Amino acid sequence: MELRLHRYGNARSRTTSFVPTVNPQGSAMQTITKHYIDGASVESHGSEVMDIIKPTNGQVIARVTLADGEDTRHAIAAAKSAFATFGRSTKEERIKILRRLHQAASARVDDLTASMVEEYGGVVRFAGLIVQSGVNAFLAAEQALQELPLTRKWGKTTITLEPVGVAGLITAWNANALFICLKLASAVAAGCTVVIKPSELSSLQTRVLVEALHEANLPKGLLNVVTGRGNVVGAELVRNPDVAKISFTGSVAVGKSIMRDGAETMKRVTLELGGKSPTILLDDAVLDQAIPSALVMAFMNSGQACAAGTRLLVPKSRLDDVRRAIIDAMPAFSVGDPADPKTVVGPMVSQAQYDRVQSYIRKGIEEGAEVLVGGEGHPKGFETGYFVKPTVFVNVKNSMAIAQQEIFGPVLSVIACDSEVEAIKIANDSEYGLHAAVLGTDLTRARRVASQIRSGRVVINNMTDDPQAPWGGFKYSGVGREYGRYGIEAFLEPRAILE
């Protein structure tokens, strides 16, 4: 889940942010000129216009006017004003709002999925799951809030968990609806008001989601959304003293700058950063089950996922069998039109991301790794757009760049290990620690191995999820946790009253 930035009682009028225009080729194009501030669509003060490029063919499909510092400050002021009231709301009032948010977002699941396929190039079979997970985040937050005691007492001491204040939520382009809904749900459950800076690459998806959430009839100023660049909108959120909390999903470099720059105003921060997730295949694994599972984890969301299992650690004694099993399984991981339910791997989000993935494939070859499947260039028949070949390297050493650095594309490195002990050592030999997997028949053994991996989450035998389980990483994968009560607590501060 990676974001690459440079530096980082209320009636509503239903005002659309889109005005139909026509591009030089004569096809319809959409234009976004507004942000969502204080419960209404507001014309952008910022004037920079950015093209939205369809990743399947490289064509301009929309133009968006980006926010500037004044737009951001306007949104922060609205959130600050709303917090004066919403910050004193009861648990019951927040639960009602979470239910309305869920209902409003649920009504637009199909539209949200379609916009993710169109703008991001997410394959529809996976995009639908991502969107639904985002929508369900409101229900998960409601459940967690109901079970979370906001007050504790002993003797003459009373402890209350208080909302931290205005929260700046900075989200990534690879799962737009999920990130926005997840962070918003936790902040609302805690009693915070928010200013969201979604990725500018997700402008069409954001427009659909904002339209949906507007129907939840939220208190004015609770939700504000300004789309702009990280070094403009994001920077204002990080340095503005009226923003108490930053929740960021993105790159390590930007995460570091947020911690550094946010220290000036004592920002509370939650950072979900990168990953180079290991999958340990034990020597008792059934390969015709384990290898497809490993490839699903490597290529999910077209490889553009921080949780992607991009290092496959296998016993040397089974390496030849693993090679054959990967070759046999690869035809099921088809590249194609992301709107086709049969497609598993879609295009990269942008030309820059395509170029990045290609550079790592070349680097792997230069470092001496063997291309088992895939390789450089476009897949046959998909020369237009940002499609890459799902690639598997073998004879990879863990010291190679392709094994250490987050590529953020469908590139898997297979690393042979002499023993289970070495596999665990290699799994932990990374600056990241976000996600991991263990594949094997003996569950007791698999659990023992999982308990030794320095990672925020470890799955056994399948890519699974629990919306109440914490999400976040060790080491350079970030600071803090999201999901469930852990995500809500990240927006709370304890206050003690003693008599």
Side-chain angles (χ1 to χ4, degrees):
M1 298 179 185
E2 184 76 6
L3 177 63
R4 308 265 173 202
L5 295 176
H6 299 288
R7 185 85 176 118
Y8 43 44
N10 307 310
R12 316 276 199 285
S13 60
R14 286 188 53 81
T15 306
T16 180
S17 296
F18 281 89
V19 177
T21 61
V22 177
N23 68 16
Q25 289 73 38
S27 58
M29 189 189 309
Q30 298 187 91
T31 302
I32 306 173
T33 64
K34 298 182 180 181
H35 310 291
Y36 189 77
I37 300 174
D38 209 19
S41 293
V42 178
E43 284 289 345
S44 182
H45 179 272
S47 58
E48 180 186 357
V49 177
M50 187 188 80
D51 290 341
I52 301 296
I53 309 296
K54 187 172 182 176
T56 56
N57 58 22
Q59 297 299 307
V60 177
I61 57 174
R63 290 194 172 96
V64 56
T65 302
L66 300 178
D68 63 7
E70 184 165 331
D71 292 313
T72 311
R73 289 186 288 274
H74 182 190
I76 293 169
K80 180 180 179 181
S81 178
F83 181 71
T85 301
F86 188 66
R88 300 195 300 270
S89 60
T90 65
K91 179 185 288 192
E92 291 70 25
E93 289 169 334
R94 297 173 200 170
I95 285 172
K96 289 179 181 178
I97 289 176
L98 289 168
R99 288 175 180 171
R100 296 205 305 271
L101 285 165
H102 176 259
Q103 183 179 18
S106 295
R108 299 293 296 274
V109 166
D110 290 346
D111 293 336
L112 289 166
T113 302
S115 65
M116 183 174 178
V117 173
E118 173 81 1
E119 180 181 40
Y120 166 66
V123 296
V124 67
R125 62 195 293 174
F126 192 75
L129 295 175
I130 289 178
V131 168
Q132 193 61 60
S133 293
V135 170
N136 289 342
F138 297 114
L139 291 183
E142 177 196 338
Q143 178 186 339
L145 179 58
Q146 287 179 332
E147 298 172 358
L148 177 63
L150 297 179
T151 303
R152 291 184 59 200
K153 293 184 178 182
W154 61 84
K156 293 186 177 181
T157 298
T158 301
I159 309 297
T160 59
L161 297 181
E162 301 294 329
V164 67
V166 174
L169 312 181
I170 305 175
T171 64
W173 43 256
N174 60 317
N176 185 66
L178 171 59
F179 295 141
I180 291 177
C181 292
L182 173 62
K183 293 178 189 294
L184 175 62
S186 295
V188 167
C192 293
T193 56
V194 306
V195 178
I196 301 175
K197 192 217 88 67
S199 169
E200 60 272 27
L201 296 179
S202 303
S203 297
L204 298 183
Q205 299 166 72
T206 298
R207 186 267 307 188
V208 177
L209 184 56
V210 169
E211 283 184 354
L213 299 181
H214 176 77
E215 297 302 321
N217 192 33
L218 301 176
K220 191 176 180 182
L222 188 158
L223 169 65
N224 305 275
V225 183
V226 282
T227 298
R229 298 193 184 278
N231 61 353
V232 178
V233 176
E236 179 64 36
L237 289 172
V238 170
R239 65 175 174 248
N240 194 295
D242 289 333
V243 177
K245 163 84 180 183
I246 295 290
S247 178
F248 169 77
T249 297
S251 70
V252 172
V254 177
K256 288 179 178 179
S257 72
I258 287 172
M259 291 192 75
R260 181 172 56 248
D261 298 344
E264 184 67 26
T265 53
M266 286 297 172
K267 290 285 189 294
R268 276 61 177 156
V269 297
T270 297
L271 307 174
E272 193 270 277
L273 307 176
K276 193 67 183 177
S277 302
T279 298
I280 295 179
L281 188 144
L282 300 175
D283 56 20
D284 66 347
V286 179
L287 293 189
D288 62 0
Q289 299 172 10
I291 292 303
S293 291
L295 293 176
V296 166
M297 287 186 273
F299 300 147
M300 64 180 180
N301 207 11
S302 305
Q304 297 176 124
C306 59
T310 52
R311 292 185 296 153
L312 177 59
L313 315 183
V314 305
K316 282 185 180 177
S317 62
R318 304 200 69 185
L319 182 57
D320 289 342
D321 292 337
V322 167
R323 290 168 62 112
R324 286 192 292 270
I326 289 173
I327 292 171
D328 290 344
M330 280 302 295
F333 293 84
S334 58
V335 177
D337 179 1
D340 185 342
K342 296 179 182 178
T343 298
V344 178
V345 179
M348 300 297 93
V349 70
S350 65
Q351 181 69 52
Q353 192 63 22
Y354 172 87
D355 292 341
R356 175 184 174 84
V357 175
Q358 294 298 313
S359 72
Y360 273 104
I361 293 174
R362 286 193 297 274
K363 189 174 295 185
I365 295 170
E366 292 166 359
E367 289 180 317
E370 175 191 343
V371 176
L372 181 66
V373 295
E376 289 186 77
H378 292 86
K380 186 176 181 181
F382 293 95
E383 288 76 14
T384 301
Y386 310 134
F387 295 93
V388 302
K389 299 174 185 176
T391 298
V392 179
F393 283 103
V394 293
N395 297 332
V396 177
K397 295 181 175 59
N398 199 52
S399 59
M400 293 179 177
I402 57 172
Q404 285 294 319
Q405 297 173 23
E406 186 176 46
I407 299 171
F408 226 62
V411 181
L412 172 63
S413 294
V414 178
I415 303 172
C417 308
D418 287 318
S419 65
E420 175 187 302
V421 171
E422 185 184 25
I424 295 169
K425 180 180 179 181
I426 291 174
N428 290 329
D429 183 17
S430 169
E431 68 178 13
Y432 296 110
L434 182 65
H435 199 272
V438 180
L439 306 177
T441 302
D442 184 341
L443 286 179
T444 299
R445 180 187 180 193
R447 290 171 186 142
R448 185 185 72 244
V449 171
S451 70
Q452 298 176 70
I453 300 176
R454 297 283 292 171
S455 180
R457 272 195 189 184
V458 186
V459 297
I460 295 176
N461 286 333
N462 285 295
M463 188 66 187
T464 188
D465 186 32
D466 180 343
Q468 300 299 330
W471 173 261
F474 288 37
K475 299 180 281 188
Y476 281 73
S477 285
V479 175
R481 293 295 183 268
E482 298 185 277
Y483 282 88
R485 68 178 295 164
Y486 305 92
I488 298 171
E489 288 172 344
F491 292 89
L492 294 167
E493 293 274 25
R495 177 175 64 198
I497 297 178
L498 291 74
E499 298 178 14

